[in-house]
Amino acid sequence: MSSHFARRCFSAASRRPNLLSARCTENPRLLGALVRSPCRRSYAAKWVKDTKDPDELSSDEIIQRLEMVKLMEKQLPYDPWAQSVQTFDLTIPSLLSKKKDAALSDHLQSLGATFRNWARNALSMRMMAGDKGFPGIAKTSPWSLQIFKAQSTSDSAWVAPLRRLALDTYTRINRAVAEHDERAIKELSIGDMRTHYLKLVRQQDPTRRYMWKLVGERTPCRILSVRTTPAHLGKVVPNNGSRLLTQVLVRFDTIQSLAVYTRKGSIVHKQDPKPVVEFLVLQKRMWYDSPWVIRDVLYEGLENHEKSLSA
């Protein structure tokens, strides 16, 4: 989905919902994503399933779909705006390419991607500042220089509370894996990452107890990339929240340890503390009173990719 067109559609929705039908005719894929429904028993779901691909929709059909979703908003037992989305174009910034045997063109491409990431970070931070997108920050202005500080690790930065939430989510998910807490894993992760964490749990020896510990951070966790877009297009936002759906790429540079015990408490294996670096994508629909969730992982030196993940 084109982030440019999506931003135009969603911005129109947040200002005046009646303008959305006209604006979204420019982007059929956006409306196709918005009206997909997990409820197969409803008439609307059957209607969407039987219609053609979003790329083939006419302007009239797009408007008709949008109006149906708006009509169903108060009648359906689920949130019609909570549709599946892709991992956005989040980037691990680097002035030089991390590829093996990288050529000059690779370094130039990496430099360009890093500059674009900086600009898109600022645009997303500006949007978040205008729509209650920073948890724990009461007053924000789209014109503040803080919008250029997405990667700051300062305690005074607008992203400081978000960084603390990200580290808390990271700590809780690793502890949940060690403690076989599938309920917590399902609460704190979605899509392929949820499958990954559950697989780790189910591969463990059920006769053993695992104790994971975050010894500390080698460097403070840092938000490298921020992308946000208005995703709730209803006239009223639940809980007086924000319309935004936000994804952030966070670099975690920590020291961790793991110990394995028998059920009687005898130690079987103890791993010395070791450094671990991970680049994880966290997501939150800002109109929900729910935790940030882990939805994807990126790796240095690999091309960024898009995956369609649930929620």
Side-chain angles (χ1 to χ4, degrees), residues 15 162 189 217 237 246 308:
R15 294 195 305 271
L162 201 161
S189 60
E217 294 184 280
V237 182
T246 301
S308 180

Side-chain angles (χ1 to χ4, degrees), residues 14-287:
S14 60
R15 294 195 305 271
R16 189 184 303 171
N18 291 337
L19 293 178
L20 186 62
S21 300
R23 290 295 182 91
C24 284
T25 57
E26 300 175 13
N27 187 10
R29 184 177 295 277
L30 172 61
L31 262 296
L34 290 176
V35 299
R36 291 191 183 96
S37 166
C39 182
R40 296 184 179 273
R41 295 183 180 179
S42 70
Y43 167 77
K46 182 179 185 301
W47 178 76
V48 170
K49 181 180 178 181
D50 292 341
T51 52
K52 50 191 174 184
D53 187 89
D55 291 333
E56 302 174 355
L57 293 174
S58 68
S59 297
D60 290 340
E61 289 171 328
I62 291 172
I63 294 174
Q64 185 180 8
R65 284 195 175 195
L66 177 61
E67 293 302 326
M68 175 168 285
V69 174
K70 291 166 66 177
L71 180 64
M72 294 188 300
E73 182 179 6
K74 298 295 185 180
Q75 302 174 0
L76 296 179
Y78 60 90
D79 185 355
W81 307 114
Q83 304 300 324
S84 299
V85 297
Q86 291 180 323
T87 299
F88 298 155
D89 59 333
L90 297 159
T91 302
I92 301 176
S94 176
L95 297 179
L96 297 177
S97 174
K98 299 295 184 179
K99 292 182 179 179
K100 186 178 181 180
D101 301 325
L104 177 60
S105 59
D106 294 320
H107 294 308
L108 292 176
Q109 184 178 6
S110 180
L111 180 62
T114 297
F115 176 78
R116 288 192 298 273
N117 181 64
W118 176 84
R120 289 170 182 169
N121 282 355
L123 288 173
S124 291
M125 293 277 286
R126 186 174 187 273
M127 189 179 298
M128 293 167 69
D131 195 5
K132 298 176 285 187
F134 292 99
I137 305 295
K139 295 183 179 180
T140 55
S141 168
W143 307 106
S144 171
L145 293 179
Q146 284 277 1
I147 66 172
F148 299 107
K149 298 182 179 181
Q151 299 184 20
S152 174
T153 57
S154 170
D155 289 338
S156 62
W158 284 352
V159 296
L162 201 161
R163 290 177 47 249
R164 290 193 289 269
L165 290 170
L167 183 61
D168 179 66
T169 298
Y170 182 74
T171 303
R172 290 174 62 193
I173 196 75
N174 280 283
R175 187 177 295 123
V177 171
E179 296 175 356
H180 300 185
D181 189 348
E182 295 193 5
R183 181 176 179 179
I185 291 172
K186 292 175 181 178
E187 178 187 5
L188 298 171
S189 60
I190 57 175
D192 288 353
M193 293 305 293
R194 176 184 292 175
T195 302
H196 166 71
Y197 289 127
L198 290 176
K199 183 177 179 180
L200 289 179
V201 168
R202 292 162 187 173
Q203 286 178 340
Q204 294 176 5
D205 187 342
T207 66
R208 298 287 186 259
R209 291 193 301 111
Y210 297 78
M211 293 189 64
W212 177 89
K213 182 179 180 181
L214 177 65
V215 178
E217 294 184 280
R218 291 198 304 175
T219 58
C221 67
R222 182 188 296 269
I223 297 173
L224 302 180
S225 196
V226 183
R227 300 292 184 269
T228 192
T229 188
H232 191 289
L233 308 185
K235 293 183 180 180
V236 179
V237 182
N239 305 318
N240 192 32
S242 169
R243 295 181 181 274
L244 300 178
L245 183 154
T246 301
Q247 295 180 6
V248 293
L249 174 63
V250 185
R251 181 181 189 269
F252 297 96
D253 183 4
T254 62
I255 299 176
Q256 308 174 12
S257 65
L258 180 68
V260 184
Y261 298 86
T262 64
R263 291 194 177 277
K264 295 182 178 180
S266 300
I267 190 164
V268 176
H269 172 75
K270 186 174 183 180
Q271 181 188 72
D272 292 332
K274 68 174 185 178
V276 178
V277 177
E278 292 186 272
F279 298 86
L280 298 178
V281 176
L282 283 79
Q283 172 180 295
K284 181 171 173 61
R285 298 180 189 273
M286 306 302 289
W287 62 93

